Amino acid sequence: MKASNVVALGLLWGVLAIAKQEHGIDPQDFVRVDGLRLKDAKGLHYITGLNYWSCMNLAANASQGGNYSRLVTELDQMAAKGVNHLRIMASSEGAPTPQPFRMNPPLMDAPGLYNEEVFQGLDRCLDEMSKRGMRATMTLNNEWQWSGGFAQYINWATNQTIPYPPSWNMTKAPQRAVPRTGWGEYSTSDDGAASYSEFESFANQFYTNNQTETWFKEHIKTVTARRNTVSGRIYSEDPTIMTWQLANEPQSIDSITNKETLYPWVSRISSYIRSLAPKQLISVGLESKQGEEVFKSVHNFSTVDYATSHCWVQNWGIYDMFDPSEQNLQNAQTFAKDFVNQTSGWARDVGKPIFLEEFGMARDNWENKDKEYAYLSSANTTHKDSYFEVRTIIGAVVDDFKKGGAYVGTCPWAYGGVWRPETQTMNEFDMVWAGDPPHESPGWYYVYDGDEAMQVVSRQQQDVGSWVKGKRARGIRDSLGNNVIGLSCSYI
Ligand SMILES: *[C@@H]1O[C@H](CO)[C@@H](O)[C@H](O)[C@H]1NC(C)=O
Ligand SMILES: *[C@@H]1O[C@H](CO)[C@@H](O)[C@H](O)[C@H]1NC(C)=O
Ligand SMILES: *[C@@H]1O[C@H](CO)[C@@H](O)[C@H](O)[C@H]1NC(C)=O
Ligand SMILES: *[C@@H]1O[C@H](CO)[C@@H](O)[C@H](O)[C@H]1NC(C)=O
Ligand SMILES: *[C@@H]1O[C@H](CO)[C@@H](O)[C@H](O)[C@H]1NC(C)=O
Ligand SMILES: *[C@@H]1O[C@H](CO)[C@@H](O)[C@H](O)[C@H]1NC(C)=O
Ligand SMILES: *[C@@H]1O[C@H](CO)[C@@H](O)[C@H](O)[C@H]1NC(C)=O
Ligand SMILES: *[C@@H]1O[C@H](CO)[C@@H](O)[C@H](O)[C@H]1NC(C)=O
């Protein structure tokens, strides 16, 4: 090709790209870290986020199990509530033989072998997000089985059978009269399920296996270098992608393996991402439940831009979804507020912002106790609403932000949108795409489109927005000394 043709093509491409970008996030407007704050071109950037991990699959061609009308309906619903960030998967791994309990079809069928239609789903997802002023956390791997993750990489490398821990089996009894509509039950040792510690030991071979690390780096290279087939943007040059996240909840089993395997892995992989995508941010995806030392060690690398936290009161044994008592709720509220306060303090010590990127609570499922399914959507949400709102977890983050603490936003698990367990039907890939990932009971944790929790999310955005506007009107600096000149896209 002649040079002049290249220039002409380049110009044409530029014109097309500009036409597209009129409705998208400005191509120069990368979110950056400034002390304990995130900033974008408009000033302070507070994150009103939601987990929406299945975005690439919903956005894929219908022949791959996608559902474009559901995707745009749900993105519009979230945008209408002021949501400006989605945490999504930018990875999922398959196997030569069909595997249970995970996203299907996967992005990667085998090392380096991609399902282009699912990849185009990720392209479309990012383009639709950009049009609505939403930025992404792109999760590149997974400690857990629900996307394939570390365990699948190890299976690829060693051919060892994956010892799945107890996981939700949609076809196990009890079954509804209409085939493929559920309910199902967790697998047990009678079904061949292993323990969680066996599973973790298996999956965590990933931190020290040279072959799987090479494959993982190749994935990172492929996804950061990809040109979006819808928007034309290179992923590493697209500010719609705020953050590359090493993995969902990477962790180790004890203090020795933390030091010897987890921390060096965080250092190697985050440096590698930085070398390929220097304009975007990097987070680890740590739950931050393992205490101060792990928190500070994992987040203190120069190639990790901000800290993350996940707060799970029921999974951690603090809350019981069958107990209607006020005391049960109060235990959860107290725990969550302390957790936010404590992790904020640790993040301040490390000198970086922190993002609460997972938390959730079940509906009032004691109301479902004697019904056919414990997770029916008809149950009330009194505890969940109190847990989310201003006096508890979201309120604690907003207060911390206003006081100049390290928190910069929230991201509940997960947007369930128009989906309901009562009307679910597994598609040809055995998926229902609930807010719960495929190894957990559908209907446990999510926010539905009509839920009060979405109003709480929305009020948070309005609250922070008007707080910033008020400060700006009076020319006040925030408590960290930042000149409060504005707040991201949807706030002004
Ligand atoms: C979706 O898949 C169908 C069947 O494979 C194909 O005919 C169609 O062109 C695809 N659509 C897009 C937008 O890729
Ligand atoms: C797509 O989602 C809509 C809900 O928005 C649902 O009514 C429809 O059945 C879904 N289509 C497929 C093919 O699953
Ligand atoms: C795993 O199995 C595949 C296919 O049977 C084979 O090609 C490969 O060499 C095996 N790998 C190991 C590490 O045993
Ligand atoms: C799920 O349950 C069905 C029905 O009991 C059983 O045949 C199948 O093996 C189970 N799958 C797994 C992966 O445990
Ligand atoms: C993995 O690679 C490193 C660096 O290249 C090397 O030092 C180490 O011995 C390798 N480990 C194995 C198990 O091959
Ligand atoms: C938050 O933690 C700090 C220590 O980092 C402590 O001094 C303070 O009392 C805590 N506040 C609340 C409300 O628990
Ligand atoms: C972080 O690492 C630096 C050295 O790079 C060290 O001086 C500092 O004490 C560490 N901070 C924490 C909180 O561990
Ligand atoms: C939800 O709460 C209302 C008011 O307390 C009550 O009347 C209703 O029965 C509850 N719903 C269920 C499914 O129990």
Side-chain angles (χ1 to χ4, degrees):
M1 198 186 282
K2 282 194 303 190
S4 57
N5 288 347
V6 175
V7 171
L9 256 181
L11 282 174
L12 179 62
W13 188 259
V15 169
L16 288 174
I18 287 162
K20 279 267 181 213
Q21 283 156 6
E22 271 174 12
H23 304 292
I25 286 172
D26 184 284
Q28 305 305 325
D29 191 8
F30 289 90
V31 174
R32 62 187 200 285
V33 170
D34 182 1
L36 297 184
R37 288 289 170 261
L38 298 177
K39 302 263 178 76
D40 63 24
K42 293 195 180 112
L44 283 180
H45 185 90
Y46 180 86
I47 304 174
T48 301
L50 279 168
N51 281 278
Y52 198 56
W53 50 271
S54 56
C55 197
M56 67 178 168
N57 290 83
L58 287 175
N61 191 314
S63 68
Q64 302 300 309
N67 187 336
Y68 184 73
S69 72
R70 176 176 167 192
L71 173 85
V72 294
T73 300
E74 294 184 345
L75 290 175
D76 284 345
Q77 290 174 338
M78 290 187 273
K81 299 291 185 211
V83 170
N84 66 358
H85 192 103
L86 301 180
R87 180 164 174 257
I88 63 178
M89 292 306 291
S91 62
S92 64
E93 295 76 28
T97 53
Q99 295 292 308
F101 316 133
R102 69 167 80 169
M103 296 166 73
N104 191 35
L107 177 61
M108 217 199 299
D109 288 306
L113 185 66
Y114 287 89
N115 180 329
E116 175 58 21
E117 286 179 293
V118 177
F119 229 147
Q120 287 179 13
L122 187 55
D123 294 341
R124 196 169 295 120
C125 166
L126 287 168
D127 182 63
E128 296 287 353
M129 285 173 62
S130 188
K131 283 180 195 159
R132 291 165 178 78
M134 296 173 174
R135 306 191 193 241
T137 292
M138 302 279 270
T139 305
L140 293 163
N141 214 321
N142 201 342
E143 174 82 34
W144 310 118
Q145 68 271 31
W146 56 268
S147 62
F150 296 170
Q152 184 52 54
Y153 274 92
I154 291 300
N155 171 267
W156 283 338
T158 66
N159 289 345
Q160 294 163 21
T161 304
I162 299 173
Y164 290 104
S167 304
W168 193 262
N169 180 343
M170 291 277 291
T171 58
K172 193 176 165 175
Q175 286 296 295
R176 286 203 276 176
V178 178
R180 303 179 64 75
T181 60
W183 303 116
E185 189 40 276
Y186 281 100
S187 59
T188 64
S189 51
D190 289 344
D191 307 312
S195 67
Y196 256 97
S197 61
E198 261 179 275
F199 175 78
E200 261 194 273
S201 302
F202 179 90
N204 286 355
Q205 297 175 71
F206 182 78
Y207 297 128
T208 50
N209 184 303
N210 282 358
Q211 177 61 76
T212 58
E213 185 150 324
T214 303
W215 285 332
F216 182 36
K217 285 180 168 174
E218 281 165 6
H219 173 63
I220 294 170
K221 194 172 200 172
T222 301
V223 73
T224 52
R226 182 173 172 88
R227 184 185 287 280
N228 187 312
T229 57
V230 183
S231 69
R233 296 184 186 183
I234 306 282
Y235 276 30
S236 63
E237 300 282 333
D238 182 358
T240 307
I241 296 171
M242 181 178 111
T243 302
W244 297 102
Q245 179 157 97
L246 272 58
N248 177 50
E249 301 184 347
Q251 54 193 275
S252 194
I253 49 175
D254 57 40
S255 57
I256 296 170
T257 48
N258 272 327
K259 286 200 186 76
E260 291 178 354
T261 66
L262 181 67
Y263 307 157
W265 177 81
V266 169
S267 173
R268 291 195 304 279
I269 301 300
S270 59
S271 314
Y272 185 68
I273 298 172
R274 178 74 90 227
S275 73
L276 298 175
K279 297 179 181 172
Q280 293 153 328
L281 304 180
I282 298 170
S283 67
V284 175
L286 194 78
E287 262 176 305
S288 299
K289 70 174 178 191
Q290 296 90 349
E292 182 171 358
E293 193 200 314
V294 177
F295 181 97
K296 290 185 173 173
S297 303
V298 162
H299 292 126
N300 198 26
F301 295 106
S302 62
T303 43
V304 171
D305 293 298
Y306 61 87
T308 56
S309 61
H310 300 182
C311 183
W312 285 110
V313 282
Q314 185 179 341
N315 306 54
W316 299 349
I318 294 122
Y319 178 77
D320 174 359
M321 70 172 186
F322 292 124
D323 176 359
S325 74
E326 185 63 21
Q327 187 60 52
N328 185 32
L329 173 62
Q330 277 177 17
N331 292 345
Q333 292 178 312
T334 302
F335 180 90
K337 285 189 278 193
D338 288 349
F339 180 81
V340 167
N341 184 52
Q342 188 173 51
T343 45
S344 174
W346 296 341
R348 185 186 264 280
D349 290 347
V350 178
K352 295 180 186 179
I354 179 167
F355 177 29
L356 178 64
E357 59 166 24
E358 278 191 20
F359 62 96
M361 182 174 275
R363 295 181 106 75
D364 296 347
N365 283 340
W366 58 85
E367 295 175 352
N368 291 331
K369 216 174 172 180
D370 302 317
K371 298 189 181 159
E372 56 175 329
Y373 189 55
Y375 305 92
L376 295 175
S377 68
S378 52
N380 286 303
T381 54
T382 58
H383 277 194
K384 182 183 188 134
D385 299 344
S386 301
Y387 181 67
F388 271 48
E389 55 88 64
V390 296
R391 288 196 313 272
T392 313
I393 193 160
I394 290 181
V397 167
V398 170
D399 283 352
D400 187 73
F401 176 79
K402 289 180 182 173
K403 282 189 309 202
Y407 267 97
V408 292
T410 68
C411 192
W413 187 273
Y415 198 58
V418 300
W419 177 88
R420 299 289 184 278
E422 288 84 347
T423 52
Q424 70 184 2
T425 305
M426 293 161 80
N427 70 13
E428 61 179 302
F429 299 95
D430 296 343
M431 291 291 115
V432 294
W433 301 123
D436 304 278
H439 74 307
E440 276 175 352
S441 40
W444 186 7
Y445 297 127
Y446 48 75
V447 181
Y448 295 149
D449 51 3
D451 277 351
E452 174 61 19
M454 274 311 277
Q455 305 298 342
V456 178
V457 166
S458 183
R459 283 197 294 271
Q460 153 197 232
Q461 178 259 325
Q462 288 161 8
D463 178 9
V464 174
S466 54
W467 177 81
V468 168
K469 267 194 219 167
K471 291 226 161 209
R472 190 168 47 152
R474 300 193 304 276
I476 289 172
R477 288 167 179 268
D478 79 357
S479 42
L480 294 177
N482 291 306
N483 204 355
V484 183
I485 54 166
L487 200 61
S488 174
C489 27
S490 45
Y491 293 109
I492 300 300

